[in-house]
Amino acid sequence: MVYLTLGAAIFAEVLATTSMKYSDGFTRLWPTLGTAVGYLIAFVLLAQALKTMSVGTAYAIWSGVGTAAIATIGMVFIDEPVTFARILGIVLVIAGVVVLNLGGAAH
């Protein structure tokens, strides 16, 4: 259940960050509200996950999956360039999360 909660927190954070892109510096109402509500939901859910999950594990997963997801969304939907460096960066972020978890962050 804690991983489902963390997954929902990541989903809310990714939606909030994507909304922020479309808020035009917080000058557009609906994307700005989407950003605020998304981050509020994300942090509430993250706080719930931290009740039973170690902060190192939760934050490694939160930041790694969120970073990889936002980078992918940028390339696929927002016409950001797809480069070898970006793909390599995403792979390295995911590998870092896996190594942190295998290396004892989850224990």
Side-chain angles (χ1 to χ4, degrees):
M1 186 66 170
V2 70
Y3 284 99
L4 184 62
T5 302
L6 183 59
I10 294 166
F11 182 74
E13 186 267 335
V14 167
L15 289 178
T17 302
T18 304
S19 293
M20 190 185 308
K21 169 69 175 168
Y22 292 104
S23 75
D24 196 28
F26 298 126
T27 61
R28 297 181 61 216
L29 177 63
W30 295 113
T32 297
L33 290 176
T35 300
V37 169
Y39 278 121
L40 177 64
I41 292 168
F43 284 119
V44 167
L45 291 171
L46 179 60
Q48 293 303 308
L50 288 173
K51 287 181 176 180
T52 57
M53 180 180 271
S54 73
V55 70
T57 299
Y59 197 75
I61 295 169
W62 160 280
S63 61
V65 172
T67 299
I70 288 297
T72 302
I73 287 168
M75 290 185 288
V76 173
F77 297 108
I78 308 176
D79 295 325
E80 293 179 356
V82 179
T83 64
F84 175 76
R86 286 179 186 246
I87 301 298
L88 179 62
I90 292 169
V91 169
L92 290 172
V93 165
I94 293 168
V97 171
V98 170
V99 168
L100 279 171
N101 284 296
L102 291 175
H107 303 297

